[in-house]
Amino acid sequence: MPELPEVETIRRGLSKFIIKQNLKKTRILCEKSFIGQPQTAKIKNIRRFGKALVIDLDNQKSLMIHLRMTGQLIYDGKERYAAGHPSENFLDKLPNKQTRVILELEHGTLYFNDQRKFGFIKVLKTTEVEDDPFIKKLAKEPWQITEEELYQKLQKHQNSPIKATILDQTIICGLGNIYADETLFMTKIHPQTKSGKITKNQAGEIIRAAKEVMEKSIASGGSTLKDYKKADGTRGDYLDKFAQVFNRQGQKCPRCQSTITKIKVAGRGTHICPNCQKERE
């Protein structure tokens, strides 16, 4: 699933191609994937709320897009820009069997592909975007939340493992599996630690670490993201350049040279350094 840095990378990438273009026609190939009435209007802006993208139109309507597990957005014009769940669709002739919605623009076409049909495009009044139930429940992102706010939220989930708690988008928004592992490694906190045992100072460290790992990922184009321009196959390289523990089981810890291991926490594969991140009573 694309995480927040990947979705932010998509927002920035698509902005270069579709803002100020006219949306001329919407072709819906899967009824489940499009909620509301098709629109014709000029694209004003692209915003992001957590992992959701919002395309604002000049007719007071907006398109909320969520990629979920396997969603993709592929712009095909003079150049091709493709992002989301990585697959050969990025280079395929479109539409194909995974295309669910086609947005025909003035100077190109935006395809919404989704293999498993969990993602969606939803039409909303622009003034009501932040009241949509999906967006309204989102907590603040690491750039917005304070140490005190996160600490108080952790106290309300005292018996939950800290990893499970920071993955909860109603507590802190934007951390997925990759960035939770990286954040906890940076703070030397074992992911099984009960949230109620996290100190206020540690809550602040979690926020600072989360911002650092996510900013590095955004700067490098994301982790799982594949981003094609002119079909050249360039790829987001956060995992190659910056990831310290995620997907590095069996390798040496960059901090202490112990062996990184993979465990399960709250049903999620979790990467840790057993020496740096000791489990405490």
Side-chain angles (χ1 to χ4, degrees):
M1 177 186 292
E3 297 194 24
L4 186 151
E6 284 76 69
V7 178
E8 175 61 18
T9 303
I10 295 170
R11 186 196 69 77
R12 296 181 186 186
L14 281 181
S15 294
K16 301 173 186 177
F17 295 99
I18 70 172
I19 288 179
K20 296 185 179 179
Q21 282 212 52
N22 286 314
L23 171 56
K24 298 171 65 178
K25 184 178 180 180
T26 300
R27 293 166 56 194
I28 302 168
L29 306 185
C30 174
E31 296 293 333
K32 178 182 177 182
S33 300
F34 194 91
I35 304 164
Q37 294 298 313
Q39 302 293 308
T40 55
K42 180 175 284 188
I43 294 172
K44 293 174 57 180
N45 191 26
I46 308 178
R47 296 180 285 162
R48 181 186 56 74
F49 295 85
K51 298 177 186 179
L53 289 171
V54 174
I55 297 177
D56 294 321
L57 307 175
D58 70 352
N59 65 349
Q60 319 307 316
K61 297 292 180 66
S62 295
L63 306 179
M64 183 175 75
I65 304 174
H66 203 300
L67 301 178
R68 296 288 193 184
M69 293 293 294
T70 59
Q72 302 170 326
L73 288 170
I74 305 168
Y75 174 77
D76 202 9
K78 289 184 179 179
E79 298 182 63
R80 176 172 283 200
Y81 176 89
H85 181 71
S87 81
E88 295 308 313
N89 283 330
F90 290 165
L91 300 175
D92 279 355
K93 183 178 179 181
L94 295 171
N96 62 22
K97 63 181 181 180
Q98 294 182 13
T99 304
R100 309 304 176 198
V101 180
I102 302 172
L103 302 178
E104 296 183 4
L105 307 179
E106 191 175 5
H107 303 296
T109 305
L110 184 62
Y111 296 91
F112 177 69
N113 280 24
D114 188 9
Q115 181 181 356
R116 298 180 67 180
K117 301 182 183 178
F118 292 155
F120 59 85
I121 299 176
K122 183 177 181 180
V123 180
L124 298 166
K125 290 182 179 179
T126 301
T127 56
E128 296 177 0
V129 165
E130 294 185 42
D131 291 325
D132 181 82
F134 181 84
I135 291 177
K136 195 170 185 177
K137 70 181 181 182
L138 295 176
K140 293 180 179 179
E141 295 181 3
W143 296 275
Q144 302 161 330
I145 196 168
T146 67
E147 178 181 294
E148 179 66 26
E149 286 173 324
L150 180 58
Y151 176 73
Q152 292 301 329
K153 289 190 173 192
L154 298 183
Q155 302 317 300
K156 295 177 182 178
H157 297 79
Q158 290 193 15
N159 294 320
S160 296
I162 184 60
K163 178 172 179 179
T165 304
I166 64 174
L167 284 174
D168 185 336
Q169 302 299 294
T170 67
I171 294 171
I172 182 169
C173 180
L175 284 171
N177 204 41
I178 295 171
Y179 303 104
D181 283 3
E182 293 295 311
T183 294
L184 294 174
F185 171 74
M186 285 185 66
T187 57
K188 299 184 179 181
I189 297 172
H190 193 284
Q192 290 278 23
T193 304
K194 298 297 184 185
S195 297
K197 293 189 176 181
I198 299 297
T199 66
K200 188 179 295 186
N201 183 59
Q202 286 177 315
E205 290 175 357
I206 288 171
I207 294 169
R208 288 187 288 274
K211 287 192 288 189
E212 181 175 337
V213 299
M214 293 168 78
E215 285 167 357
K216 285 181 178 178
S217 184
I218 291 169
S220 66
S223 55
T224 56
L225 183 72
K226 289 186 178 179
D227 165 1
Y228 292 92
K229 292 185 179 179
K230 298 182 179 177
D232 66 0
T234 55
R235 177 180 177 272
D237 58 3
Y238 173 80
L239 289 181
D240 299 328
K241 285 185 176 179
F242 302 113
Q244 303 292 295
V245 289
F246 188 85
N247 210 27
R248 296 184 184 275
Q249 60 268 29
Q251 299 182 34
K252 298 296 183 184
C253 168
R255 191 158 51 204
C256 75
Q257 301 303 301
S258 296
T259 302
I260 295 167
T261 60
K262 184 176 181 180
I263 62 175
K264 276 284 184 77
V265 178
R268 304 294 296 273
T270 301
H271 305 80
I272 66 166
C273 170
N275 182 53
C276 292
Q277 297 167 272
K278 294 185 184 297
E279 192 166 7
R280 307 185 190 281
E281 294 295 330

